[in-house]
Amino acid sequence: MSSVTDSLETLGFEDTDSLAGLIEAETVHHASREMDVTDIIHDLAVAQRELEQYRQGALSLAASLDDKVLEAEAAGDVERADALRRLKRSAMDVYGRVEKQQEGR
């Protein structure tokens, strides 16, 4: 049950011990099969951690691309700078989507 409470905490739940006890034996019919709710909780917690990694990675990538944009601009390579700016915007779009999703939970 401990790992269920850890997963519930990852998902932002409070009173995880009592919640884990309440849903311990619950199942849900999904994708043409019965699934234990505890398995679903673990899957959702993994997804939440992966989304956080995407968020951090996208922000880091945007910063790295920004450095490359500055290098391209300093070299007078306008086309390369523009292409790198577009990639940076894409990285920031990913960051923004994940950030928005996390704010909604």
Side-chain angles (χ1 to χ4, degrees):
M1 181 131 18
S2 168
S3 65
V4 172
T5 58
D6 291 344
S7 292
L8 286 168
E9 286 175 8
T10 297
L11 295 172
F13 288 93
E14 297 177 5
D15 300 326
T16 56
D17 289 331
S18 61
L19 184 56
L22 290 170
I23 53 91
E24 182 177 15
E26 290 292 324
T27 61
V28 173
H29 187 78
H30 176 70
S32 302
R33 65 186 179 107
E34 285 295 311
M35 296 180 68
D36 291 334
V37 170
T38 54
D39 291 338
I40 294 168
I41 290 168
H42 292 305
D43 289 348
L44 290 171
V46 167
Q48 192 64 41
R49 285 189 292 272
E50 288 175 354
L51 284 171
E52 177 59 21
Q53 290 173 345
Y54 278 121
R55 186 186 73 80
Q56 290 176 3
L59 190 58
S60 176
L61 179 59
S64 295
L65 287 166
D66 199 37
D67 291 341
K68 288 294 187 180
V69 167
L70 294 174
E71 287 176 18
E73 288 174 341
D77 193 342
V78 177
E79 287 183 70
R80 191 170 120 233
D82 184 52
L84 291 165
R85 246 188 247 94
R86 291 169 58 195
L87 289 172
K88 178 188 171 190
R89 276 194 299 273
S90 292
M92 290 307 296
D93 286 348
V94 169
Y95 173 82
R97 283 185 185 146
V98 176
E99 187 73 13
K100 184 177 179 180
Q101 179 275 331
Q102 289 181 331
E103 288 173 0
R105 48 172 215 158

